[in-house]
Amino acid sequence: ETVMTQSPTSMSTSIGERVTLNCKASQSVGINVDWYQQTPGQSPKLLIYGASNRHTGVPDRFTGSGFGRDFTLTISNMEAEDLAVYYCLQYGSIPYTFGAGTKLELK
Amino acid sequence: EVKLLESGGGLVQPGGSLRLSCAASGFTFADFYMSWIRQSPGKAPEWLSFIRNKANSYTTEYNPSVKGRFTISRDDTQNVLYLQMNTLRAEDTAIYYCAKHGWWAPFDYWGQGVMVTVSS
């Protein structure tokens, strides 16, 4: 099973800040990584697929990058609505596996 | 608009069974792979299973954590996805989501989820 390790576990941010979230795979998964955003009481929502492609309707302040084992999600200009938990997912091998998540909080 | 609506959750005793349903609308259900994912309170989601479309012979994949106890199936005539869950354990307690796969990647749309509680 491919283990996805996300860092940091949580992060205190400010509105307008640039935020970088990390995800490291225990083995190469190519570009088969998605990023999801989950706010309290809601189901996860797809932000990025194929490591770097924004899903329909996702603001361009969200950028994904990476290949192989190391992936990042960058929020260029943090907004209040971006306070959430972010999960990475690998689908390069079965079972598909999620990271443990990064929680973004306000300073 | 893509809509996925899960049902069939509830309280079940350890060792019991439950069948979840997911009613799909807003897209051509028969064309897409579909998955079940669960999330225990305060934890990350866990992918459980997916079923391919007719063009790929409705073949299935499972997470080893549920293989042999859970069975995924679909009815393309009714646009419904199912998850039969047997021999349930306390650790199966979670919110269960169905999710649609996209053309390029999994889980482009999720349902709102249904709660399953396994307890005596």
Side-chain angles (χ1 to χ4, degrees):
Chain A
E1 163 173 323
T2 302
V3 177
M4 302 297 281
T5 302
Q6 288 189 244
S7 61
T9 303
S10 64
M11 179 186 291
S12 295
T13 69
S14 301
I15 302 304
E17 190 174 320
R18 179 184 179 90
V19 172
T20 299
L21 311 181
N22 301 293
C23 185
K24 189 175 188 70
S26 60
Q27 59 188 308
S28 178
V29 294
I31 59 166
N32 296 310
V33 166
D34 289 352
W35 289 92
Y36 295 86
Q37 177 193 64
Q38 188 175 33
T39 52
Q42 300 296 312
S43 55
K45 290 182 171 52
L46 178 63
L47 294 176
I48 301 289
Y49 65 91
S52 61
N53 302 283
R54 282 185 214 93
H55 183 48
T56 304
V58 173
D60 61 7
R61 64 180 181 275
F62 291 93
T63 302
S65 64
F67 176 83
R69 295 182 60 200
D70 292 293
F71 300 87
T72 60
L73 174 69
T74 301
I75 307 173
S76 61
N77 189 359
M78 185 74 186
E79 296 193 7
E81 67 186 28
D82 302 333
L83 295 173
V85 180
Y86 292 82
Y87 296 101
C88 60
L89 163 80
Q90 72 78 24
Y91 51 98
S93 63
I94 288 171
Y96 297 166
T97 46
F98 288 86
T102 294
K103 185 175 183 178
L104 295 187
E105 300 169 309
L106 267 183
K107 278 182 186 171
Chain B
E1 180 190 5
V2 172
K3 288 189 178 178
L4 300 167
L5 185 62
E6 302 92 340
S7 60
L11 176 63
V12 60
Q13 292 191 336
S17 297
L18 213 54
R19 188 176 84 154
L20 304 182
S21 300
C22 169
S25 62
F27 64 103
T28 306
F29 180 76
D31 285 349
F32 292 91
Y33 297 11
M34 295 292 296
S35 267
W36 286 99
I37 301 155
R38 69 184 177 188
Q39 188 172 28
S40 301
K43 301 292 187 183
E46 177 188 24
W47 169 77
L48 300 178
S49 178
F50 74 74
I51 185 167
R52 297 178 177 89
N53 54 15
K54 182 179 180 180
N56 289 280
S57 304
Y58 298 126
T59 51
T60 58
E61 303 289 348
Y62 292 92
N63 192 315
S65 64
V66 301
K67 193 170 185 176
R69 295 192 300 126
F70 290 10
T71 302
I72 191 171
S73 61
R74 62 191 295 165
D75 182 345
D76 288 353
T77 66
Q78 299 290 322
N79 291 348
V80 181
L81 177 73
Y82 298 102
L83 184 69
Q84 177 67 43
M85 303 187 293
N86 297 331
T87 320
L88 285 162
R89 308 164 180 162
E91 54 265 36
D92 295 318
T93 295
I95 297 172
Y96 284 71
Y97 298 100
C98 64
K100 170 187 168 294
H101 288 224
W103 292 118
W104 311 114
F107 317 160
D108 59 353
Y109 293 95
W110 299 52
Q112 88 292 343
V114 64
M115 186 70 203
V116 172
T117 303
V118 184
S119 175
S120 56

